[in-house]
Amino acid sequence: MESELVKEWIEKSKDGDKRAFESLVNTFQPMVFRLSFRMLNGNMDETKETVQDVFIKMWLSLSSYDPAFRFSTWLYKITCNACLDRLRMFRKQEERVTDWKKAYQRLSSGEDIETALINRDLREVILHLTEALSPKQKSVFILSDIEGLDVREIEEITTLSPEKIKSNLYLARKFIRNKLSETI
């Protein structure tokens, strides 16, 4: 359930109140940044550009927002679509912020899987492995397993059916599990 304050900011923003819109941006910017950063493989420049694009799109389409749905879900959808658009535009290999090869080496150095699961290196390896997923698999995996959204919310964001979400999530998890078992 959206807070009353957020609902108020939305209504004021629809009426052109720039301070209310600024409050929405300040409130939701961490969420938009986090999802963009993860979907864009940690590329800081692309993330910053995408975050700006998302809030421009939000401003331009705020009048079409339906308060029957959660605002955060609506904003996740805009963000996810903006990231997918950017990924389609830039298919070139991007450099990672972290050195994932070292993380691979540390994972394969003999530590057991329980220790590795709580290890930050595993997270970096998994995020690196998402680069090889299809755009649908990547968005479903990140929204579900990284962002912690449920199937219903992912359905609203991606417009995929629950069956397609589960299928893409299964394939993404299977791919990552296979790659991790090759490494460990």
Side-chain angles (χ1 to χ4, degrees):
M1 172 97 20
E2 299 291 343
S3 76
E4 291 303 316
L5 189 55
V6 170
K7 288 178 183 176
E8 183 181 325
W9 290 336
I10 293 167
E11 289 309 311
K12 287 183 176 180
S13 294
K14 285 180 178 181
D15 293 334
D17 185 328
K18 291 179 182 169
R19 286 184 187 246
F21 182 75
E22 182 180 344
S23 297
L24 283 173
V25 170
N26 290 336
T27 300
F28 290 97
Q29 190 169 22
M31 178 193 85
V32 170
F33 181 86
R34 185 178 63 240
L35 178 60
S36 299
F37 186 78
R38 288 173 174 159
M39 287 193 67
L40 297 171
N41 307 323
N43 183 311
M44 189 62 76
D45 292 333
E46 294 299 322
T47 298
K48 288 177 183 177
E49 294 250 349
T50 302
V51 170
Q52 288 178 351
D53 291 347
V54 166
F55 287 112
I56 290 169
K57 288 176 185 176
M58 183 178 95
W59 175 257
L60 295 174
S61 59
L62 199 55
S63 61
S64 68
Y65 166 67
D66 181 356
F69 299 100
R70 289 181 52 191
F71 185 75
S72 59
T73 301
W74 183 74
L75 194 52
Y76 265 125
K77 183 174 185 168
I78 292 173
T79 306
C80 194
N81 287 337
C83 290
L84 290 174
D85 288 346
R86 195 160 293 272
L87 285 170
R88 284 184 205 105
M89 270 177 40
F90 300 103
R91 292 214 180 252
K92 65 182 181 201
Q93 181 70 17
E94 296 175 292
E95 291 200 11
R96 297 282 300 161
V97 173
T98 60
D99 185 0
W100 63 269
K101 289 182 181 178
K102 288 181 183 176
Y104 265 113
Q105 291 169 348
R106 285 192 297 269
L107 270 177
S108 60
S109 67
E111 45 182 298
D112 67 7
I113 193 68
E114 279 92 26
T115 303
L117 284 173
I118 59 173
N119 190 328
R120 197 179 81 186
D121 291 341
L122 180 60
R123 183 177 181 86
E124 291 301 318
V125 170
I126 289 172
L127 287 174
H128 169 72
L129 291 173
T130 64
E131 293 176 26
L133 297 172
S134 73
K136 284 182 186 177
Q137 289 173 357
K138 182 176 186 171
S139 61
V140 168
F141 180 80
I142 289 175
L143 290 169
S144 175
D145 290 3
I146 309 278
E147 292 294 317
L149 299 179
D150 62 27
V151 173
R152 185 185 51 74
E153 286 181 299
I154 296 170
E155 182 180 7
E156 289 177 31
I157 293 165
T158 63
T159 67
L160 294 172
S161 70
E163 294 77 23
K164 287 197 182 266
I165 291 168
K166 290 175 185 175
S167 172
N168 278 290
L169 188 55
Y170 169 79
L171 292 172
R173 287 174 177 165
K174 181 179 177 184
F175 172 82
I176 289 172
R177 200 170 29 251
N178 288 342
K179 288 297 184 182
L180 285 174
S181 67
E182 290 173 12
T183 305
I184 296 177

